[in-house]
Amino acid sequence: MSTSPVTLMVARRVASSRYHDFNRWLNEGRDLAADFPGYLGSGVLAPPKSDNEYQIIFRFSSSNTLSAWEHSASRNAWLQRGKGLYNAPHEHRATGLDAWFQSSSGITPARWKQAVAVWLAFFPVSLLFNWLFGNALADWPMVPRILVSTMMLTPVMVFLFIPLSTRVLAPWLEGKWSPFDVLSRWFNEHRT
């Protein structure tokens, strides 16, 4: 069993016209997971308007703590209460940084693509943070200033912006799209 943090990613398609009930049920499950030892957090990525598949992320400190939650009576009862609220669930788990990038087919993109996706998520959030709080923290000594900024930015990045970045960039990360394809199409369309 892994002693590294483990991420469980679950995709669930909401049953027709059950969005309100599904969201209430989903929040109940997140609250339930938070009561278990080893729980590090969870996040939800709502689908775009043209889709109904929610991406739910649960993160635990190890495979053992995740397994204890997964096989608990309270989680099984929660899953039973959710019957009829969603269709076709699928899930996969990953450890380390690859947890954010592994597709449902098990493909993990090259490290340089992962670095670009993380940077594209981190840069605007860091810029906004410094614009909002930079002056207030400017006179602080370096260690407390960095401690406060990383404590505030890390959860936002881990649970919101990095999952969002990987979802938006999924076609590129999975090799289904390339910036060269776009440039080539543009060039061909605008040749005189």
Side-chain angles (χ1 to χ4, degrees):
M1 289 282 185
S2 170
T3 57
S4 299
V6 178
T7 302
L8 174 66
M9 292 171 266
V10 183
R12 298 190 192 276
R13 293 198 174 277
V14 180
S16 176
S17 71
R18 302 292 308 268
Y19 286 95
H20 180 70
D21 295 332
F22 177 81
N23 279 313
R24 187 174 51 233
W25 172 80
L26 188 58
N27 287 331
E28 177 190 346
R30 292 173 67 196
D31 291 343
L32 173 72
D35 289 338
F36 276 76
Y39 173 80
L40 298 177
S42 60
V44 176
L45 291 175
K49 291 187 182 203
S50 60
D51 197 358
N52 66 349
E53 184 177 75
Y54 279 72
Q55 303 290 324
I56 305 123
I57 302 162
F58 292 98
R59 192 149 170 83
F60 281 82
S61 61
S62 68
S63 293
N64 291 336
T65 58
L66 173 61
S67 182
W69 172 68
E70 282 187 295
H71 297 98
S72 69
S74 54
R75 180 176 181 265
N76 287 329
W78 171 68
L79 290 173
Q80 286 300 317
R81 287 190 299 278
K83 295 268 184 194
L85 297 177
Y86 57 86
N87 303 315
H90 63 274
E91 60 187 58
H92 69 277
R93 66 199 69 228
T95 57
L97 188 61
D98 289 344
W100 283 321
F101 297 98
Q102 193 174 51
S103 70
S104 57
S105 62
I107 297 169
T108 303
R111 287 282 181 192
W112 72 270
K113 285 188 172 186
Q114 294 178 24
V116 168
V118 169
W119 181 83
L120 286 172
F122 199 86
F123 176 72
V125 174
S126 181
L127 190 63
L128 179 63
F129 176 86
N130 281 292
W131 181 69
L132 292 173
F133 302 107
N135 288 338
L137 300 175
D139 294 332
W140 290 25
M142 183 173 64
V143 172
R145 184 176 66 236
I146 293 174
L147 177 70
V148 167
S149 66
T150 56
M151 283 177 61
M152 292 175 71
L153 290 176
T154 299
V156 172
M157 295 306 303
V158 168
F159 297 113
L160 184 61
F161 285 97
I162 292 176
L164 179 62
S165 174
T166 58
R167 186 172 181 169
V168 169
L169 296 174
W172 175 70
L173 291 167
E174 295 170 11
K176 298 175 184 172
W177 171 88
S178 161
F180 299 111
D181 297 337
V182 174
L183 290 172
S184 177
R185 267 187 256 135
W186 182 86
F187 180 75
N188 287 333
E189 290 172 4
H190 294 88
R191 270 196 295 191
T192 54

